[in-house]
Amino acid sequence: MIPAFASTGSVRPMLSQEQIDHYHRTGYLVLEDFKTAAQIARVRERANELVAQFDPGDRRSIFTTREQALASDAWFLESADQIRCFFEEDAFTTDGQLKQDKSLSINKIGHALHDRDQVFDDFSRGPELDAVARALGMAQPQIWQSMYIFKQPGIGGEVGWHQDATFLHTTPISVTTFWFALEDATEDNGCLWVAPGGHRGPLRELFVRDGDRVDKQQIDTTAWPAGDAICPLPVRAGSLVCFHGLLPHYSAPNRSAISRHAYTLHVTDGRAHYSSRNWLQRDASLPLRGFV
Ligand code: FE2
């Protein structure tokens, strides 16, 4: 784990060559203390407000990368340029009642927090993030989606092995994930697991949209990493983890009593061609923006 640069003020910090080399070698980079406790408190408070305002009605939409049939739900597709809450897969009893309070039943909020909410807009942008993106090789960073992930105590679901380029495909592949730990992420509460160097392998799956349907297609049969090839990535609250769109990653279910809030941004390089088959499309009514 590599300490973040010292400054989070108005000076544009640069990554060290060692940090850049680490990213290219392993496919990821951890920048500790990237966000302050006050910045984290502000977005956590705002997320709580959004959940409190959310009227679930008879909504039972859930999101897991395993259950892609459910992802064809219009609630999911229409969230591309909206702010919507998604329940945990295990949030409901068999007769459709919430097992625990709504505030402890939401899997995530997505996918345009960064463009639709001022608090998240502020958190998602700034010269420091722009400098990191550029140091990692992105000349024209464009933020496509944001997700506030709760990883709720007891019911926080597993996210199986995947590569983020499956969901936001460009030619050449450019999607880069910015993953902010809003709480300490540990092996107990479902921290990320990664396969260091695995970003040099092939893209295995493609999540493609056809009208109001989406489907995940296998395009390469290379096995997911296991054993000595994988490692957990526990990080303290405030850390930023950047990772390559081809890096295989996973997170275990949270069966602990402690939540594991995180916030992610998925960013592509505007020089790359963005696939018209990606589920997430934007039109001129909400133009894509970068970090500044
Ligand atoms: Fe991911």
Side-chain angles (χ1 to χ4, degrees), residues 162 164 243 249 266:
H162 68 280
D164 288 348
F243 53 92
H249 58 286
H266 288 93

Side-chain angles (χ1 to χ4, degrees), residues 79-283:
S79 72
D81 58 0
Q82 302 294 326
I83 295 174
R84 291 193 165 180
C85 295
F86 296 83
F87 283 110
E88 282 288 351
E89 192 171 3
D90 293 337
F92 295 96
T93 61
T94 50
D95 60 353
Q97 301 303 308
L98 280 175
K99 292 178 184 172
Q100 50 192 26
D101 188 77
K102 180 180 70 173
S103 65
L104 292 172
S105 303
I106 302 295
N107 171 288
K108 69 169 187 177
I109 311 172
H111 288 92
L113 286 158
H114 63 296
D115 280 331
R116 293 287 192 194
D117 185 274
Q118 191 59 54
V119 171
F120 282 97
D121 187 343
D122 292 345
F123 189 88
S124 305
R125 293 187 165 89
E128 295 85 6
L129 282 164
D130 192 59
V132 170
R134 290 175 192 281
L136 297 181
M138 311 186 82
Q140 296 173 25
Q142 295 182 322
I143 310 174
W144 280 89
Q145 72 172 25
S146 46
M147 293 190 282
Y148 190 106
I149 303 163
F150 291 89
K151 204 76 163 181
Q152 304 283 11
I155 64 168
E158 171 188 61
V159 180
W161 283 100
H162 68 280
Q163 296 157 297
D164 288 348
T166 289
F167 301 95
L168 296 168
H169 191 258
T170 65
T171 306
I173 285 171
S174 66
V175 65
T176 303
T177 303
F178 290 71
W179 192 102
F180 301 89
L182 305 179
E183 295 182 285
D184 293 345
T186 68
E187 285 192 61
D188 286 340
N189 69 359
C191 70
L192 286 171
W193 286 68
V194 297
H199 64 303
R200 288 190 286 270
L203 182 64
R204 293 162 176 80
E205 297 173 312
L206 212 47
F207 191 72
V208 293
R209 178 174 188 166
D210 180 11
D212 59 358
R213 300 297 305 273
V214 284
D215 184 33
K216 193 157 62 179
Q217 303 171 349
Q218 186 174 36
I219 57 172
D220 188 286
T221 57
T222 301
W224 292 110
D228 292 343
I230 67 175
C231 67
L233 212 54
V235 292
R236 287 191 289 113
S239 300
L240 166 61
V241 185
C242 297
F243 53 92
H244 190 284
L246 285 175
L247 183 75
H249 58 286
Y250 156 88
S251 72
N254 181 6
R255 298 297 179 236
S256 80
I258 301 166
S259 58
R260 192 227 66 188
H261 291 202
Y263 177 68
T264 65
L265 298 171
H266 288 93
V267 183
T268 67
D269 191 327
R271 296 173 301 174
H273 176 259
Y274 186 84
S275 173
S276 60
R277 301 176 77 198
N278 286 334
W279 79 271
L280 198 165
Q281 302 291 332
R282 284 283 192 92
D283 61 26

